[in-house]
Amino acid sequence: MIEYSVFLMTNYLKPEDGAKAYAKNQVREIWELDKFSKHIASHNAGYSRGMVKAILSDMCDCLVEQLLNGNKVKLGSLGVFSISLSCEGAESIEKFTEDNIKSVNINFNPGVDFENLINQAEFKLVASRIAQAATLKAEKAGKGTVDLAEAKKKANSSKDEGDGGNKPSGDSGSTPSGGGSSEGDNAGLE
C-alpha cells in the first residue's frame, strides 16, 4: 500500500499557472541490505540470508566496476544500469578537457517488471508529516485539539531558517511536470 499526502506546489516551468495539488508518497521505512536480504531469503528460494546478502553485495561491487569500465549492465527484467556525464561546457572541442567533467551519474531504465506499477499499486491518503507530528505532540501534551495552521506556520519558519522544515524521508514522490518548488511541501491537505 502506497501512502501519500497531497500538497500545493508551483510548477517552476509555469509559475503563471499558480499552485496546483500534487501527491507525494510517504516513505514508511528504509530497508537496509540486511533486512532486504532476510526478506528475499524468506521466500524459500533455498538461499540463506547470508548468501543472499553476499550475492547482493558482490553484485553492487561488480555493477560499479562494470559501469566504471564503460559498460551497460542489464539485470534481466529488473532493468538496465548505465552512466552519463555531467559537464561544464567549453568554448570549443579543443578546449574541452577532463576537468570539464563534473560528475558521473548512474542511470537506471526499468525493465518489464516495473513497467506497470500503477496497475499493481494500491493507494491510501494520509495526513501530511506536519499534521502527523502536530497531532502526536498534542496527544502527548493531553490536548484535545490541534492548530494545524500554527503547526504549518512553525514548520515554514523553521524551513526558512535553514533546518529543512518538514522534509519527507526517502523519495519525494511525484512532482509537477518538469519538477516543482518545495515551497508547497508544508501546504498538505490534512
Side-chain angles (χ1 to χ4, degrees):
M1 175 86 52
I2 297 172
E3 295 180 347
Y4 70 97
S5 299
V6 180
F7 297 87
L8 291 175
M9 294 186 293
T10 302
N11 181 339
Y12 74 92
L13 294 175
K14 298 180 183 178
E16 66 278 1
D17 288 353
K20 293 185 180 179
Y22 294 92
K24 285 190 174 186
N25 65 296
Q26 298 249 347
V27 176
R28 291 173 141 185
E29 59 184 297
I30 297 173
W31 281 32
E32 299 290 337
L33 182 59
D34 284 337
K35 185 172 185 174
F36 192 54
S37 298
K38 186 176 182 179
H39 175 76
I40 291 171
S42 74
H43 285 270
N44 298 319
Y47 302 104
S48 70
R49 176 178 53 104
M51 186 179 288
V52 171
K53 182 179 175 184
I55 291 168
L56 290 174
S57 292
D58 287 348
M59 182 193 77
C60 290
D61 292 343
C62 292
L63 180 60
V64 168
E65 176 187 4
Q66 293 309 311
L67 292 174
L68 291 175
N69 282 333
N71 296 320
K72 280 187 176 183
V73 178
K74 183 174 182 184
L75 296 175
S77 56
L78 175 65
V80 179
F81 289 85
S82 61
I83 62 163
S84 63
L85 305 176
S86 291
C87 303
E88 196 173 85
E91 293 175 18
S92 67
I93 292 175
E94 294 79 20
K95 291 185 178 182
F96 188 93
T97 68
E98 194 174 295
D99 291 337
N100 290 82
I101 300 172
K102 298 303 177 189
S103 66
V104 176
N105 307 306
I106 297 175
N107 302 320
F108 172 67
N109 293 318
V112 295
D113 284 355
F114 298 95
E115 286 179 351
N116 294 311
L117 287 182
I118 188 73
N119 295 331
Q120 301 173 45
E122 294 179 31
F123 299 97
K124 178 182 176 185
L125 178 63
V126 297
S128 68
R129 295 209 185 274
I130 292 172
Q132 292 174 27
T135 301
L136 182 59
K137 185 176 179 180
E139 280 182 344
K140 286 182 176 181
K143 295 181 180 176
T145 60
V146 176
D147 185 347
L148 291 176
E150 183 63 26
K152 289 178 187 180
K153 183 178 174 184
K154 283 182 183 178
N156 280 328
S157 68
S158 64
K159 182 176 163 183
D160 292 340
E161 292 168 10
D163 73 0
N166 185 41
K167 286 189 177 180
S169 62
D171 185 43
S172 63
S174 66
T175 57
S177 175
S181 75
S182 61
E183 69 187 51
D185 285 354
N186 297 323
L189 299 177
E190 288 72 41

